[in-house]
Amino acid sequence: MKESAYKKAGVDIEAGAELVERIKPHVKKTDRSGVVSGLGGFGAFFDLAKTGYKDPVLVSATDGVGTKLKIAIESGTHDTVGIDLVAMCVNDLVVQGAEPLFFLDYFACGKLENDVAEAVIAGIATGCVQAGCALIGGETAEMPGMYAVKDYDLAGFAVGAVEREDMLTGATIKDGDVVLGLAASGLHSNGYSLVRRVYDALGVNYGNKTPFDGTKTFAEVFMTPTKIYVKSLLTALKLTGTDGAQMIKGLAHITGGGLVENLPRILPDGLGADLDANDWVLPPVFSWLAAQGGLSVEDMAVTFNCGIGMTVICTAENKAALMDSLTQSGETVYEIGTINAQGAVTIKNAEASWLNAK
């Protein structure tokens, strides 16, 4: 068969059609109530009435994986970035009290390699299963000239729902409330431009064992996927106190900007937080980056999650019940500070804990 002019230009439509068939089994694993249509149409139907919500408000989020993709491409680790993509979106939904319902992805590349694309999309499906949402559609774009042959980029789009009366805004947070921290799985998906600068200066390979964890390679540590907190938080959001109100008063997903910039996003005007870095365990990759990169406390605080991927705000009275629920759901939970009326987030003992960690 004569090769088409479009294929000669670098776009393989047949490979795209083959990819759709290859990813269908992965997508099928994400099926949930509300899904009406499968892959292949011009759009995807989702029946909100079948989810059981009475007075739902829709919540949406979009995000990417950032330059962590460079490490995925250079190390040949393609099976986890899809989880990262989902996590960055659905964790932003649940902090508003919303249950993720469905997800769409955008995969763009210089040349479509179906083994790579399938691994990435299988990871997206895994993330959707972890979050309880359906992967109902997406776009694969082969764009020679825009991207190098081995390069690809990702974007994700998530839609969730919350009952109007259960919308989580942080409006009830007060001076003296407790800040709980949920442990991160690692670096998650932020700060990788700095991570790559520090790593590149070493002149080593991603396959080398790290000096701070002799059992894992740099690729394994750097590519550990972002923790998805959705199911454990949705369970905890059902808990109510003696006043009948939700025990959780606010949630903050700790992404770019770290604790000092993300926590204030949910606090009423005039409130801040006093945190103590001695109250949680810093994964060794962070102290290694600080030492190897000559980073300051300020660098660390606004670039990385520093071991806390999610914060939970509650009253002191409800702290024990929430910690118990989250622990039973598989989270590692720390009490890391309190809300103050000073209007700023401060982290004491950070220099000793982050820069001088053994």
Side-chain angles (χ1 to χ4, degrees):
M1 180 182 293
K2 182 180 179 182
E3 186 176 48
S4 72
Y6 205 17
K7 189 170 184 179
K8 288 180 180 178
V11 179
D12 192 338
I13 294 177
E14 293 177 355
E18 179 192 341
L19 178 63
V20 171
E21 293 303 313
R22 289 174 64 164
I23 66 176
K24 281 183 178 179
H26 302 295
V27 173
K28 183 65 177 175
K29 296 174 184 177
T30 74
D31 198 24
R32 57 153 293 153
S33 60
V35 175
V36 175
S37 60
L39 293 181
F42 288 100
F45 291 103
F46 190 92
D47 188 349
L48 188 57
K50 290 185 178 180
T51 61
Y53 285 92
K54 298 175 182 177
D55 185 21
V57 174
L58 293 180
V59 186
S60 60
T62 183
D63 214 329
V65 181
T67 60
K68 187 172 186 175
L69 288 178
K70 290 289 290 182
I71 298 178
I73 294 164
E74 291 170 7
S75 68
T77 309
H78 306 290
D79 58 342
T80 57
V81 288
I83 300 174
D84 288 301
L85 183 67
V86 175
M88 295 301 287
C89 295
V90 297
N91 284 341
D92 280 353
L93 293 185
V94 76
V95 298
Q96 296 168 96
E99 173 195 9
L101 299 176
F102 59 86
F103 192 86
L104 300 99
D105 70 275
Y106 175 77
F107 178 93
C109 59
K111 178 176 175 55
L112 185 58
E113 298 183 17
N114 278 350
D115 287 345
V116 172
E118 183 181 1
V120 171
I121 296 170
I124 293 172
T126 297
C128 286
V129 170
Q130 292 179 13
C133 64
L135 177 57
I136 63 173
E139 164 70 359
T140 301
E142 193 173 19
M143 301 166 66
M146 181 67 73
Y147 296 96
V149 170
K150 296 290 184 180
D151 284 350
Y152 60 86
D153 199 6
L154 291 175
F157 314 88
V159 174
V162 58
E163 295 288 5
R164 190 179 304 273
E165 64 181 10
D166 295 330
M167 292 168 59
L168 199 60
T169 65
T172 63
I173 297 173
K174 296 179 180 179
D175 182 16
D177 282 342
V178 174
V179 183
L180 304 179
L182 305 187
S185 56
L187 291 163
H188 285 187
S189 297
N190 297 102
Y192 274 83
S193 293
L194 179 54
V195 170
R196 290 187 302 109
R197 183 183 68 78
V198 173
Y199 167 82
D200 288 344
L202 298 177
V204 297
N205 296 317
Y206 284 116
N208 292 151
K209 291 289 195 299
T210 69
F212 51 88
D213 183 343
T215 67
K216 293 182 180 179
T217 65
F218 281 102
E220 289 170 328
V221 172
F222 292 163
M223 295 307 299
T224 300
T226 306
K227 184 84 166 62
I228 293 177
Y229 300 97
V230 169
K231 291 184 177 179
S232 57
L233 287 175
L234 288 177
T235 297
L237 282 165
K238 295 176 182 177
L239 299 177
T240 56
T242 54
D243 58 357
Q246 287 178 320
M247 285 190 180
I248 292 180
K249 302 177 77 173
L251 296 166
H253 183 199
I254 309 305
T255 55
L259 287 159
V260 295
E261 292 188 6
N262 285 289
L263 191 49
R265 294 169 66 181
I266 63 163
L267 299 180
D269 290 345
L271 295 185
D274 294 313
L275 309 180
D276 189 338
N278 284 339
D279 288 338
W280 72 89
V281 176
L282 185 77
V285 63
F286 293 104
S287 52
W288 175 81
L289 283 166
Q292 194 67 38
L295 307 182
S296 67
V297 166
E298 291 74 20
D299 290 329
M300 297 288 289
V302 300
T303 308
F304 303 118
N305 65 57
C306 293
I308 298 295
M310 183 73 68
T311 55
V312 182
I313 314 299
C314 64
T315 63
E317 176 187 20
N318 293 326
K319 174 186 69 176
L322 276 173
M323 292 184 74
D324 183 59
S325 171
L326 291 164
T327 300
Q328 288 188 35
S329 293
E331 304 295 346
T332 299
V333 190
Y334 305 101
E335 182 178 352
I336 64 172
T338 56
I339 300 299
N340 65 38
Q342 307 306 312
V345 174
T346 61
I347 307 175
K348 67 179 182 181
N349 295 315
E351 183 168 356
S353 178
W354 297 353
L355 306 188
N356 300 315
K358 302 298 183 183

